[in-house]
Amino acid sequence: MVVYQRRGGNDPQLSPWLAHRNHLHPAVHRAQDAIAQDPARSWSVDELAAQAHVSARHLTRLFAEHAGISVVGYQQRLRVARARELLAERQLSVERVAELAGFASARDFRRVWQRHEGGTPSTLRATGGRGSTLGDRQPS
């Protein structure tokens, strides 16, 4: 039996963990799987290309063509999604959330958050998670 999960009005329409995966290219999927398994890791394009069994330059082209996003953009979206989950744990500071999500600094985290989510991570925490969602904003 299949039961559809009910989504609240404030929930993103598509999980960032599933976004940009509606293609059939196996090399891109291998790179995406590697990032998804450890989004906090500082993946270089060369490391991901080795995982995907293609050159770094070719992976960059394949990602843009098949996923419609850059390798770095994809990793940032997953890191922001992980940070969103961590922000729900109110005992963690924004600095600690940034570290656990894989950002180089809290400043970098806030900059990427602003680009993808709008507002600040603290605002999301203050509103109880009723801030914007990844599905609401388009990267600039």
Side-chain angles (χ1 to χ4, degrees):
M1 177 175 8
V2 176
V3 178
Y4 292 97
Q5 183 177 10
R6 208 170 272 244
R7 183 178 63 83
N10 293 324
D11 294 337
Q13 290 192 15
L14 180 63
S15 166
W17 302 100
L18 300 175
H20 304 286
R21 295 196 59 121
N22 59 345
H23 58 84
L24 298 175
H25 201 285
V28 178
H29 276 296
R30 284 190 294 269
Q32 288 175 315
D33 289 344
I35 294 170
Q37 286 176 357
D38 191 4
R41 179 175 169 185
S42 182
W43 288 101
S44 72
V45 176
D46 289 328
E47 290 172 322
L48 289 169
Q51 292 281 325
H53 309 295
V54 296
S55 72
R57 186 173 175 179
H58 191 54
L59 179 64
T60 301
R61 281 192 227 122
L62 288 172
F63 234 93
E65 180 182 345
H66 294 281
I69 192 170
S70 70
V71 175
V72 171
Y74 183 76
Q75 184 170 23
Q76 285 180 343
R77 283 184 175 263
L78 293 189
R79 285 180 174 176
V80 168
R82 178 68 179 130
R84 182 180 260 282
E85 295 167 0
L86 291 168
L87 284 169
E89 300 177 26
R90 295 190 176 272
Q91 71 274 13
L92 296 176
S93 68
V94 172
E95 289 75 15
R96 182 72 177 134
V97 168
E99 179 185 331
L100 291 172
F103 291 95
S105 67
R107 182 178 181 181
D108 184 43
F109 169 47
R110 287 182 180 102
R111 180 184 54 78
V112 173
W113 181 275
Q114 174 66 37
R115 183 180 311 134
H116 293 286
E117 292 281 323
T120 65
S122 299
T123 303
L124 177 81
R125 182 175 274 171
T127 60
R130 293 185 312 272
S132 66
T133 62
L134 287 170
D136 294 340
R137 292 200 34 116
Q138 295 295 325
S140 49

